[in-house]
Amino acid sequence: METLINYFETIPSAHRSLILVGGITFFWLLEGAIPLFNFKYNKWKHSFPNLFFTGTTIVINFLLAFLLLKTADWVQENNFGLINRLPKIPLWLYVCLGVFFLDFFGAYLAHFVEHKVKPLWMVHLVHHTDHKVDTTTANRHHPIESIIRFIFTLLGVFLVGAPIAVVMLYQSCSLVLTQFNHANIKIPKKLDKILSYVIVSPDMHKVHHHNLLPYTDSNYGNIFSIWDRVFGTYMELDREKIVYGVDTFPDEEINSSLKELLKQPFQGYRKPTNI
């Protein structure tokens, strides 16, 4: 565990890039082998806006990374935060709890708030208006959302008291898991169900991308599924019945245009059709 912590404490940017590119490449190829839905689309054309937003997220996180470092250093120097107030525990448990609680603040809580606050929903909407969800959808976030997500992660680092090594480990796990649970892959239902008791599995997260409420407002988690189960936001739906997109923004051509997606948060809130 010490070796792992030492590695993530000084993880090179090239290695973080490799995790990103390697994950997309792996799941992209897997989608071709065992697809959940046989989409009739130009995959490269579909991926263009998604990869663009992946790039803007990388740039924003890079520019703001010093805030994470400063905050992580401060909580360690001042013995501040949840995991630093616990009785002496083994290093492996300390690290696991750090990742566990960062997942709550940086993923579940951020995601939940984005769905409940209308202006934030309009920003997050860009992620949901993909009609053909695949692994590139994972990082389809408007630049404004990338900043919002960063703020929640920063809050998590502060309250949890996570050192920078745990923060980097969390972000790496979060990246791979979001690529995994968005991937257009078909794994045995029983296996997916078993996985969903611990982590957010593909079938579990696809429910969240259904175009109608109440399914859209469920399964907010990214790494661990326990948050949805504890807070009552877990839902199930047969994967064959899932229809991707958002009922209030149904035009797939518009939702595939980078120009239109950049303007989407400013289009004005639309009340869901089934309420």
Side-chain angles (χ1 to χ4, degrees):
M1 182 58 74
E2 288 185 8
T3 302
L4 183 68
I5 290 302
N6 290 335
Y7 169 72
F8 278 100
E9 193 168 34
T10 57
I11 183 172
S13 296
H15 290 195
R16 298 185 69 190
S17 300
L18 184 61
I19 293 173
L20 171 66
V21 176
I24 291 177
T25 302
F26 174 75
F27 291 117
W28 179 298
L29 295 174
L30 200 59
E31 288 173 337
I34 51 170
L36 175 58
F37 295 112
N38 290 302
F39 295 135
K40 305 300 180 184
Y41 71 146
N42 183 318
K43 196 165 184 173
W44 282 104
K45 182 179 180 181
H46 165 262
S47 70
F48 171 71
N50 297 354
L51 294 178
F52 174 85
F53 287 124
T54 299
T56 58
T57 298
I58 292 171
V59 171
I60 289 169
N61 284 336
F62 177 78
L63 293 175
L64 299 177
F66 74 96
L67 292 174
L68 279 183
L69 180 60
K70 292 292 184 182
T71 303
D73 287 346
W74 186 88
V75 294
Q76 285 298 289
E77 291 171 3
N78 293 274
N79 198 37
F80 185 85
L82 178 61
I83 60 176
N84 294 320
R85 294 295 183 177
L86 295 173
K88 188 174 179 60
I89 56 177
L91 179 60
W92 68 267
L93 182 57
Y94 177 86
V95 171
C96 289
L97 288 175
V99 172
F100 182 69
F101 288 115
L102 283 177
D103 181 54
F104 170 75
F105 289 103
Y108 181 87
L109 182 62
H111 202 172
F112 178 84
V113 172
E114 285 177 332
H115 276 252
K116 299 305 178 183
V117 179
K118 290 179 181 178
L120 298 187
W121 163 245
M122 292 307 301
V123 174
H124 180 56
L125 182 70
V126 171
H127 180 69
H128 277 268
T129 51
D130 195 337
H131 295 255
K132 294 179 172 62
V133 174
D134 63 18
T135 194
T136 67
T137 310
N139 295 296
R140 176 180 159 129
H141 298 297
H142 193 281
I144 297 175
E145 180 174 8
S146 297
I147 296 173
I148 294 169
R149 290 289 184 120
F150 181 88
I151 291 172
F152 273 91
T153 299
L154 191 66
L155 174 66
V157 173
F158 180 72
L159 295 178
V160 175
I164 195 61
V166 173
V167 176
M168 292 296 104
L169 174 60
Y170 158 69
Q171 290 191 325
S172 298
C173 292
S174 181
L175 178 59
V176 174
L177 260 294
T178 194
Q179 291 173 342
F180 169 61
N181 57 45
H182 283 89
N184 180 40
I185 56 177
K186 185 176 185 178
I187 61 178
K189 288 186 178 182
K190 287 185 178 180
L191 175 58
D192 190 283
K193 182 67 174 179
I194 291 171
L195 290 175
S196 73
Y197 285 112
V198 181
I199 63 173
V200 178
S201 64
D203 285 0
M204 175 182 170
H205 189 70
K206 297 302 192 310
V207 175
H208 178 77
H209 279 272
H210 187 57
N211 68 339
L212 294 173
L213 292 175
Y215 300 105
T216 312
D217 284 356
S218 69
N219 300 1
Y220 297 107
N222 185 40
I223 297 179
F224 301 107
S225 62
I226 188 173
W227 304 120
D228 283 295
R229 296 179 183 277
V230 167
F231 293 108
T233 53
Y234 175 78
M235 291 192 73
E236 294 183 4
L237 178 66
D238 192 325
R239 62 191 184 189
E240 280 79 19
K241 296 180 180 179
I242 294 173
V243 179
Y244 295 135
V246 179
D247 59 338
T248 52
F249 286 78
D251 193 318
E252 185 171 358
E253 184 176 350
I254 291 176
N255 295 335
S256 300
S257 166
L258 177 59
K259 180 181 178 181
E260 294 299 325
L261 289 172
L262 287 169
K263 296 188 298 182
Q264 203 164 63
F266 314 103
Q267 297 298 305
Y269 177 78
R270 302 177 187 177
K271 189 176 180 179
T273 59
N274 61 334
I275 292 182

